[in-house]
């Protein structure tokens, strides 16, 4: 069994991105700029945002954080996002999800033009992904594909099973794996016979948001197991996979922390620099 070292790969990618951001600055005279919009004070979101802002600083990307109250009106939030998006010094705009109740995420995200949609959540970017055409892809699914590639794991012809059908991870990842010629099964909370389906996976991705949901009996001997979850359970971090038992069967497995998480941040930085390079 090999542990997939997302932390190391993310560090390698970030070293390259730092040079790219510096080259952008010296050529254009302004730094790559990212705006992050936080609405409300969801504690998990605050941790993710802090990590993203810190990573921007370390990479030479100028970040702007706008914190809006949870009870902000839809129209006011849209105005803030539109204003940020129209600033030529801001090359990417990110609205951290989930939003507080009462706000319409689709309508708010529609205020970000596809060219500055560094999360890949816009209809245009999702449409491109669905058609297998070039576009910006959501950071976590993109990070997972990068991990597979760097470990020489080729999806073509393999059975891939994705547990969880969120717009942020499961759905776009299923499309990416399909575009890479895997045979993809997308499972969710209403799936019948989940265990039998997951047991046939050559590549198994857990993105269900439930601590240690995937146990050894759900995993084929030699499977590649990717864990997207992160939970705090009795003072320790764990994922959607029961690492202790599953790691005995897997050929490759991502740890939590240090697997998928750091890759999400690295892909956000890459999407932002690429957006800036295209706009310049
Ligand atoms: N919430 C959880 N993951 C993400 C992400 O990748 N981007 C945004 N904007 N919100 C998230």
């Amino acid at each position: 069994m090999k542990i997939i070292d997302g932390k190391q790969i993310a560090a390698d990618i970030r070293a390259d991105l730092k040079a790219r951001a510096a080259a952008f600055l010296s050529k254009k005279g302004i730094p790559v700029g990212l705006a992050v919009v936080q609405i409300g004070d969801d504690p998990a979101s605050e941790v993710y945002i802090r990590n993203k802002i810190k990573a921007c600083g370390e990479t030479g990307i100028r970040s702007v954080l706008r914190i809006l109250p949870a009870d902000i009106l839809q129209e006011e939030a849209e105005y803030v996002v539109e204003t940020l998006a129209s600033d030529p010094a801001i090359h990417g705009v990110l609205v951290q999800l989930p939003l507080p109740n009462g706000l319409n995420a689709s309508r708010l995200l529609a205020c970000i033009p596809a060219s500055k949609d560094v999360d890949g959540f816009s209809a245009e970017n999702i449409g491109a992904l669905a058609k297998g055409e070039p576009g910006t892809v959501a950071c976590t699914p993109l990070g997972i594909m990068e991990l597979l590639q760097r470990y020489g794991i080729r999806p073509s012809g393999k059975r891939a099973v994705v547990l969880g059908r969120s717009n942020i991870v499961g759905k776009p990842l299923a499309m990416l794996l399909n575009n890479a010629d895997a045979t993809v099964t997308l499972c969710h909370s209403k799936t019948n016979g989940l265990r039998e389906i997951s047991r046939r996976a050559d590549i198994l991705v857990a993105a269900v948001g439930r601590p240690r949901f995937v146990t050894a009996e759900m995993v084929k001997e030699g499977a590649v197991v990717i864990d997207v979850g992160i939970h705090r359970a009795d003072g320790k971090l764990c994922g959607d996979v029961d690492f202790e038992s599953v790691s005995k069967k897997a050929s490759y497995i991502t740890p939590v922390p240090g697997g998928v998480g750091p890759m999400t941040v690295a892909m956000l930085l890459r999407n932002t620099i690429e957006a800036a390079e295209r706009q310049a």
Side-chain angles (χ1 to χ4, degrees):
M1 184 271 302
K2 273 202 179 142
I3 293 184
I4 294 179
D5 191 348
K7 196 172 166 191
Q8 181 60 52
I9 291 179
D12 294 346
I13 292 171
R14 283 171 58 168
D16 289 342
L17 293 175
K18 192 172 175 179
R20 250 167 103 176
F24 184 93
L25 173 59
S26 69
K27 207 159 137 214
K28 308 292 172 192
I30 61 159
V32 174
L34 173 70
V36 177
V37 179
Q38 172 188 335
I39 310 183
D41 58 1
D42 177 69
S45 289
E46 284 184 337
V47 173
Y48 297 144
I49 288 171
R50 204 181 313 135
N51 287 338
K52 290 171 185 180
I53 300 272
K54 180 162 167 266
C56 282
E58 290 166 0
T59 311
I61 296 174
R62 184 180 75 97
S63 63
V64 176
L65 173 61
R66 287 273 181 281
I67 302 176
L68 307 177
D71 62 357
I72 192 169
L73 293 175
Q74 178 82 27
E75 293 69 30
E76 290 173 335
E78 287 177 12
Y79 178 78
V80 170
V81 172
E82 277 166 1
T83 304
L84 290 167
S86 63
D87 182 343
I90 288 176
H91 305 98
V93 180
L94 176 164
V95 176
Q96 187 68 24
L97 302 178
L99 296 181
N101 289 335
L103 289 172
N104 182 317
S106 289
R107 272 171 44 214
L108 189 56
L109 294 175
C111 298
I112 305 170
S115 59
K116 295 192 178 184
D117 167 35
V118 289
D119 260 329
F121 293 166
S122 71
E124 188 175 329
N125 281 318
I126 291 168
L129 176 60
K131 290 188 277 186
E133 291 171 2
T136 301
V137 177
C139 305
T140 302
L142 191 59
I144 292 169
M145 298 304 286
E146 188 79 31
L147 285 178
L148 295 178
Q149 198 203 332
R150 293 202 180 215
Y151 275 83
I153 300 160
R154 280 180 272 277
S156 179
K158 302 231 168 70
R159 279 201 184 99
V161 173
V162 179
L163 308 179
R165 58 175 160 184
S166 69
N167 289 330
I168 292 178
V169 182
K171 244 186 270 179
L173 180 61
M175 291 195 276
L176 280 171
L177 287 163
N178 176 58
N179 292 348
D181 299 323
T183 302
V184 182
T185 306
L186 182 54
C187 299
H188 47 79
S189 56
K190 303 286 193 296
T191 297
N192 282 327
L194 183 78
R195 181 202 288 235
E196 279 60 45
I197 297 167
S198 81
R199 280 174 71 93
R200 297 183 69 198
D202 302 310
I203 300 171
L204 179 62
V205 182
V208 292
R210 292 169 60 174
R212 301 194 186 96
F213 177 81
V214 174
T215 51
E217 21 348 314
M218 295 167 68
V219 178
K220 182 169 82 172
E221 194 74 44
V224 173
V225 179
I226 306 292
D227 190 347
V228 180
I230 183 148
H231 313 276
R232 195 170 287 280
D234 16 270
K236 263 187 67 186
L237 291 178
C238 75
D240 289 354
V241 174
D242 181 41
F243 186 88
E244 173 150 338
S245 67
V246 171
S247 60
K248 296 191 178 101
K249 288 178 107 177
S251 58
Y252 291 88
I253 187 167
T254 61
V256 177
V260 172
M263 293 300 291
T264 297
V265 178
M267 294 300 103
L268 171 67
L269 302 171
R270 194 169 83 186
N271 282 350
T272 304
I273 291 171
E274 287 179 355
E277 289 170 347
R278 277 195 305 268
Q279 284 160 51

